[in-house]
């Protein structure tokens, strides 16, 4: 880091202890090298000292502020949400001695820029705020040490350890199915993922029976299933094959019949196991007649209209803002599908990272603290992210606008290491198998 000397001097002035103190100096470089090769994440990383010898996770916001002033640079944020820009404006008022710059674009653009900066040694950003549904950020940026996970101990003590496994989450959200609540006023019309593929005929391996009649029950609208956030959801279901199989047997009182085995064409990055309930579910879904639309607004509009009978749509939770529950009579007749067995969806959290080699490591961490509400949940601007489809990840702060308790939604913490292995196969097989629809 260009200004690491100023950072260390500032820490010494504050009386902060360095990890290199004590009698372990002969082994410290090896430990730091091991950490660089295989960065720790999760609760075990909270007490890990940085490779620079600074115990970042246990510094207070006041200490980080003094260090950030010593750094003296412009703290640059790369993010995928405009809400973070509101946070930037607030922190600039509370910390007038610091300067911030906010750059907002999509995840792929941010990821590519961070990778390019790292490979050329021309690091521009100090911190990054992105979603990581597929594990691409964790596997391609965190594990190689291009970005690092910051775990402020005072804040992490209020976050479910499962949510810390791959990074520091800012808020929770998900990509749900939507249904028409005018047609189903008594509530969600489906209880499990198997209800979505209702009408599948194992004998014909399609939604056409021996007499040539259409047996598909639901009309389906989606965004691009091959997009990482949606492919990752199906990948997680494949990982949780045992739970899906158990749900089928409990629901139908008979063993699940595996019908996709003869359809496998495993090669290269395209691989599915032969006896997997999640793959069977995905195969059946690929054989449904479904319509891909350009955006979530179009998906929920199609659900609202439900012109072709019972209709489901898959898109971002934020599209609930189009509903009558939010907009009154000018809104749409749409509602989230929640409480699905074995779970409704992935917890598609947004995560915060510090860019390795940045000029303002203390300033970046101060901003992260600030966005998450600081040590007490109120020393910052965590309420900026309080809206429908967002849930606080802190157990001491509750969002008022979420619309439903997070526990009632039924989300699954993702397994990024295994999702990363499967989501490319989801993309490949989606293209292959949808081309075989009868």
């Amino acid at each position: 880091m260009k200004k690491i000397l100023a950072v260390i001097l500032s820490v010494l002035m504050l009386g902060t202890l360095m990890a290199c103190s004590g009698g372990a100096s002969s082994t410290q470089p090896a430990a730091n090298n091991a950490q660089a090769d295989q960065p720790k994440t999760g609760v075990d990383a909270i007490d890990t000292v940085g490779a620079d010898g600074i115990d970042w996770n246990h510094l207070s916001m006041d200490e980080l502020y003094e260090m950030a002033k010593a750094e003296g640079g412009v703290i640059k944020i790369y993010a995928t949400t405009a809400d973070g820009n509101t946070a930037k404006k607030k922190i600039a008022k509370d910390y007038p001695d610091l300067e911030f710059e906010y750059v907002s674009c999509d995840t792929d653009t941010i990821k590519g820029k961070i990778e390019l900066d790292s490979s050329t040694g021309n690091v521009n950003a100090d911190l990054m705020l992105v979603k990581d549904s597929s594990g691409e950020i964790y596997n391609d940026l965190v594990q190689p040490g291009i970005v690092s996970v910051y775990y402020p101990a005072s804040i992490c003590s209020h976050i479910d350890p499962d949510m810390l496994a791959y990074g520091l989450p800012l808020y929770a959200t998900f990509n749900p199915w939507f249904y028409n609540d005018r047609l189903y006023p008594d509530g969600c019309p489906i209880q499990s993922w198997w209800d979505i593929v209702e009408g599948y005929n194992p004998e014909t391996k399609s939604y056409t029976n021996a007499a040539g009649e259409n047996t598909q029950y639901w009309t389906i609208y989606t965004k691009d299933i091959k997009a990482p956030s949606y492919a990752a959801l199906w990948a997680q279901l494949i990982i949780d094959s045992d739970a899906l199989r158990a749900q089928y047997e409990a629901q139908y009182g008979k063993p699940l019949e595996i019908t996709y085995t003869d359809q496998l064409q495993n090669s290269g990055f395209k691989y599915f196991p032969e006896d997997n309930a999640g793959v069977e579910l995905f195969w059946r879904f690929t054989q449904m007649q479904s319509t891909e639309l350009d955006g979530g607004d179009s998906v929920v509009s199609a659900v609202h209209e439900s012109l072709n009978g019972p209709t489901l749509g898959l898109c971002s939770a934020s599209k609930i803002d189009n509903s009558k529950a939010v907009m009154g009579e000018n809104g749409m007749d749409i509602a989230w599908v929640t409480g699905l067995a074995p779970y409704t969806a992935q917890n598609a959290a947004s995560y915060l990272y510090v860019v390795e080699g940045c000029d303002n490591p203390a300033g970046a961490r101060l901003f992260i603290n600030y966005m998450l509400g600081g040590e007490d949940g109120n020393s910052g601007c965590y309420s900026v992210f309080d809206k429908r489809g967002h849930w606080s990840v802190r157990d001491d702060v509750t969002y008022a606008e979420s619309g439903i308790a997070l526990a009632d939604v039924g989300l699954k913490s993702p397994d990024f290491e295994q999702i990363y292995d499967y989501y490319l196969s989801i993309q490949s097989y989606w293209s292959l198998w949808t081309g075989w629809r009868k």
Side-chain angles (χ1 to χ4, degrees):
M1 296 175 191
K2 298 176 183 178
K3 299 174 183 172
I4 192 65
L5 180 58
V7 171
I8 294 176
L9 287 174
S10 182
V11 174
L12 290 172
M13 289 172 63
L14 292 165
T16 305
L17 295 177
M18 299 296 129
C20 54
S21 63
S25 60
S26 62
T27 60
Q28 189 64 39
N32 286 340
N33 289 337
Q35 183 181 3
D37 292 339
Q38 295 181 330
K40 283 187 177 180
T41 55
V43 293
D44 291 341
I46 295 175
D47 293 325
T48 300
V49 174
D52 50 20
I54 301 176
D55 187 4
W56 291 109
N57 297 336
H58 292 88
L59 294 178
S60 69
M61 290 179 71
D62 288 341
E63 290 172 319
L64 289 170
Y65 181 37
E66 293 302 318
M67 295 168 70
K69 286 191 293 184
E71 291 167 347
V74 177
I75 302 162
K76 183 175 286 188
I77 305 106
Y78 283 0
T80 57
T81 170
D83 295 325
N85 194 34
T86 303
K88 184 213 77 171
K89 294 176 182 178
K90 288 181 175 292
I91 193 173
K93 291 180 179 179
D94 289 346
Y95 295 90
D97 295 325
L98 303 179
E99 188 176 352
F100 300 88
E101 181 181 345
Y102 192 86
V103 178
S104 179
C105 45
D106 62 87
T107 298
D108 287 342
T109 300
I110 289 176
K111 180 175 180 287
K113 177 62 174 169
I114 295 290
E115 288 174 321
L116 178 62
D117 288 354
S118 176
S119 65
T120 60
N122 183 32
V123 176
N124 289 289
D126 295 296
L127 69 142
M128 181 174 69
L129 166 58
V130 296
K131 286 184 180 178
D132 186 16
S133 302
S134 65
E136 282 188 300
I137 301 299
Y138 173 76
N139 286 281
D140 294 348
L141 298 186
V142 176
Q143 287 300 301
I146 297 173
V147 300
S148 61
V149 181
Y150 167 49
Y151 288 111
S154 59
I155 292 175
C156 290
S157 66
H158 293 287
I159 299 177
D160 183 341
D162 286 346
M163 291 195 68
L164 298 171
Y166 302 105
L168 178 66
L170 178 58
Y171 57 81
T173 187
F174 74 132
N175 294 310
W177 288 98
F178 285 81
Y179 70 95
N180 186 309
D181 59 354
R182 181 186 73 254
L183 300 180
Y184 297 96
D186 295 331
C188 181
I190 59 176
Q191 285 71 50
S192 84
W193 279 84
W194 296 109
D195 292 330
I196 296 171
V197 295
E198 185 177 345
Y200 179 75
N201 189 316
E203 294 182 359
T204 64
K205 297 182 181 179
S206 70
Y207 287 85
T208 302
N209 62 21
E213 300 167 327
N214 182 7
T215 56
Q216 181 172 322
Y217 182 77
W218 292 103
T219 298
I220 299 292
Y221 294 92
T222 71
K223 289 185 67 177
D224 182 9
I225 294 296
K226 293 187 292 183
S229 59
Y230 299 101
L233 172 57
W234 289 100
Q236 186 66 58
L237 290 164
I238 290 173
I239 294 165
D240 294 320
S241 169
D242 291 346
L244 274 176
R245 191 186 300 272
Q247 172 58 34
Y248 182 93
E249 293 178 358
Q251 185 170 337
Y252 296 101
K254 60 181 180 181
L256 172 66
E257 184 176 352
I258 299 297
T259 64
Y260 71 86
T261 307
D262 292 342
Q263 321 303 325
L264 290 176
Q265 291 188 3
N266 289 336
S267 63
F269 291 107
K270 184 173 62 181
Y271 169 78
F272 280 157
E274 292 188 359
D275 184 20
N276 184 286
V279 178
E280 179 64 25
L281 176 72
F282 184 65
W283 158 255
R284 296 185 184 195
F285 183 68
T286 65
Q287 298 314 292
M288 299 181 78
Q289 294 297 325
S290 61
T291 302
E292 179 185 310
L293 300 175
D294 289 338
D297 290 328
S298 298
V299 171
V300 294
S301 178
V303 173
H304 166 70
E305 294 171 353
S306 292
L307 297 178
N308 298 306
T311 301
L312 296 173
L314 181 65
C315 62
S316 169
S318 65
K319 298 309 173 183
I320 198 68
D321 286 344
N322 293 287
S323 68
K324 286 184 176 178
V326 176
M327 298 182 62
E329 286 307 309
N330 292 324
M332 300 178 183
D333 298 306
I334 56 173
W336 291 326
V337 169
T338 59
L340 284 187
Y343 48 80
T344 301
Q346 270 186 328
N347 189 338
S350 286
Y351 292 91
L352 294 154
Y353 308 90
V354 178
V355 180
E356 284 294 326
C358 68
D359 287 344
N360 302 280
R365 288 170 170 86
L366 177 65
F367 188 50
I368 289 172
N369 268 275
Y370 191 83
M371 280 195 287
L372 275 159
E375 291 95 333
D376 59 1
N378 298 307
S379 301
C381 62
Y382 199 35
S383 60
V384 164
F385 306 98
D386 183 1
K387 58 179 61 178
R388 294 240 173 192
H390 289 184
W391 287 267
S392 167
V393 297
R394 299 184 60 138
D395 62 15
D396 59 340
V397 178
T398 302
Y399 279 173
E401 302 298 327
S402 298
I404 182 177
L406 182 59
D408 294 333
V409 179
L411 300 186
K412 171 69 183 288
S413 295
D415 185 336
F416 284 155
E417 290 168 306
Q418 292 193 68
I419 288 173
Y420 191 70
D421 291 336
Y422 275 125
Y423 91 96
L424 292 176
S425 295
I426 292 289
Q427 295 171 332
S428 296
Y429 269 111
W430 174 260
S431 297
L432 179 66
W433 283 352
T434 54
W436 295 352
R437 289 172 180 160
K438 295 181 180 179

